[in-house]
Amino acid sequence: KISFSPLLWLILISYLPINALWEASGTIQLATNRHRKYALLRVASAILGIVLAVLLTKYLGIAGTLLSFVLAELIFCIWFIPLETLKIINGSVKDFWLITVGKGFAFALVPQIAIGLLLSFYLISFGVFGWFVLLAAVFGVGLVPGYLFWLTKEEKAIIASLKNYLFNLIFNK
């Protein structure tokens, strides 16, 4: 049986929202078949992660291994993957960071991490049901600010029409 480690859980729960910055951005590169730099950055990140893991695991154990790969991804991916995506879509670096980090940190990341940490320590003892509640809570905390602060009026109108279409499709057969 694997024992629960609060330190590992803290590293993982903190890493997930940050990881979303380059994973969501990288999707554009993959979808437009312009993913060469994305792939190279991911390989470089993995190589650096292995090198760091060899060094840090001796001193920090399994937490050092996890931290090594998180640090490697932060070094390579947090800046370069979004930057390449912005070149593809002709986006502004300043706007990207103001929207994702400026609004995102205040309205999504902080509450998401806080609720994730609070619920995770409580709900882990409830087995699979606890994990579903945890995922739903973190998703909901991220979804509401995302809808309120990041979407434009046009995007909200598209979501409203999609919601109405699905509602009619399900309930008005």
Side-chain angles (χ1 to χ4, degrees), residues 35-76:
H35 55 278
R36 184 170 188 258
K37 289 182 182 176
Y38 176 84
L40 290 172
L41 288 167
R42 297 308 303 242
V43 169
S45 171
I47 292 169
L48 179 61
I50 291 169
V51 170
L52 289 174
V54 168
L55 301 171
L56 291 179
T57 302
K58 285 188 231 180
Y59 303 105
L60 301 174
I62 192 75
T65 306
L66 178 60
L67 198 55
S68 298
F69 287 97
V70 169
L71 287 172
E73 286 210 354
L74 287 173
I75 289 168
F76 279 102

Side-chain angles (χ1 to χ4, degrees), residues 93-172:
V93 175
K94 178 184 168 192
D95 290 343
F96 173 78
W97 288 108
L98 282 175
I99 291 169
T100 57
V101 177
K103 287 183 180 179
F105 187 76
F107 298 110
L109 290 182
V110 170
Q112 205 168 14
I113 290 171
I115 287 180
L117 286 171
L118 291 172
L119 287 175
S120 65
F121 290 116
Y122 176 73
L123 294 173
I124 284 174
S125 61
F126 289 105
V128 174
F129 175 73
W131 285 102
F132 282 119
V133 172
L134 170 66
L135 291 173
V138 171
F139 177 76
V141 168
L143 183 67
V144 171
Y147 179 82
L148 292 175
F149 298 105
W150 290 334
L151 297 182
T152 64
K153 288 180 183 178
E154 295 82 18
E155 291 166 333
K156 288 178 182 176
I158 292 169
I159 289 175
S161 65
L162 179 62
K163 180 188 69 163
N164 291 337
Y165 172 76
L166 291 174
F167 183 82
N168 289 332
L169 185 70
I170 293 169
F171 297 109
N172 297 331

